[in-house]
Amino acid sequence: MKKRALFLDRDGVVNEEVGYLHRTDEVRFVDGIFSLCRTAAGLGYRLIVVTNQAGIARGYYTEADFERLMQFMRDELRAEEVELDAVYYCPFHPEHGVGKYKLEHDDRKPGTGMLRRGAREFGVELSDSILVGDRCSDVGAANAAGLRQAFLINGTETGGCGGDYLQVDSLAEVERWLMERG
Ligand SMILES: [Mg+2]
């Protein structure tokens, strides 16, 4: 079986976008995320979250807060029979970061650092892997890393993004694509 990954942006893809999510009582999972993840895992995809966390850079919440929230989300996902293989986050921002977090970093999408890390740590082929995001920066990272396919969920971006991607209205459409194409 091919070694490949389903890269998932977090905010707007795994959970509903609320803006700098950091409280467990604000977590609402996006419709279809559990089923998409189960189907992808069944097809042999690693499940890897790749998330820009400018809220850490800006000092709105800490890395420990982020880790706690992710533990909560991973537990909720596990109850739905979804096991994430990894969660990568970028806590830096080149302009709005405070202190050590004010940094231009290739992990920050559209940089490809987190995707390349997934390839390195799990031995996945980026050209066989896919990504689901809700921003042009997600699509940009996927294209720059040479992924097989990027999906953009409608709703967050108002304008069109450059590059190659499939625009979808729901995660169910991504799941159907996976089931048809493997
Ligand atoms: Mg997002």
Side-chain angles (χ1 to χ4, degrees):
M1 187 176 277
K2 285 178 184 169
K3 305 249 299 182
R4 54 196 185 174
L6 169 60
F7 291 104
L8 296 162
D9 173 46
R10 195 193 73 179
D11 299 297
V13 175
V14 178
N15 55 269
E16 301 280 356
E17 174 71 89
V18 298
Y20 303 110
L21 173 70
H22 62 288
R23 289 167 38 158
T24 56
D25 61 0
E26 290 187 320
V27 174
R28 303 279 181 276
F29 286 97
V30 173
D31 272 350
I33 188 63
F34 305 133
S35 185
L36 170 62
C37 286
R38 287 192 296 255
T39 292
L43 290 167
Y45 287 84
R46 295 286 192 172
L47 303 177
I48 302 177
V49 170
V50 289
T51 175
N52 286 351
Q53 288 295 315
I56 297 171
R58 290 168 178 263
Y60 297 164
Y61 48 92
T62 67
E63 292 193 58
D65 294 333
F66 174 83
E67 299 281 2
R68 265 193 297 277
L69 181 71
M70 284 316 304
Q71 196 53 57
F72 170 82
M73 289 181 69
R74 291 176 90 129
D75 290 345
E76 296 281 299
L77 287 162
R78 196 170 292 125
E80 299 290 338
E81 290 166 26
V82 172
E83 189 69 48
L84 298 179
D85 290 288
V87 174
Y88 302 146
Y89 66 98
C90 178
F92 305 110
H93 193 286
E95 294 124 50
H96 303 296
V98 176
K100 68 174 179 175
Y101 294 116
K102 184 177 164 76
L103 184 68
E104 181 118 34
H105 199 292
D106 190 47
D107 276 355
R108 185 172 164 79
K109 297 171 289 183
T112 57
M114 294 190 285
L115 303 180
R116 287 184 291 104
R117 182 176 168 195
R120 204 165 58 239
E121 292 187 353
F122 291 95
V124 301
E125 290 292 337
L126 290 175
S127 59
D128 291 324
S129 298
I130 68 178
L131 175 144
V132 185
D134 68 331
R135 292 188 187 275
C136 296
S137 52
D138 298 315
V139 169
N143 285 172
L147 297 199
R148 176 183 174 204
Q149 185 65 58
F151 292 91
L152 182 77
I153 298 184
N154 282 326
T156 303
E157 290 286 358
T158 48
C161 304
D164 295 327
Y165 60 95
L166 288 175
Q167 209 155 344
V168 293
D169 286 315
S170 70
L171 293 175
E173 288 179 49
V174 179
E175 186 180 0
R176 269 199 299 279
W177 186 95
L178 275 180
M179 288 190 295
E180 284 166 14
R181 311 222 188 174

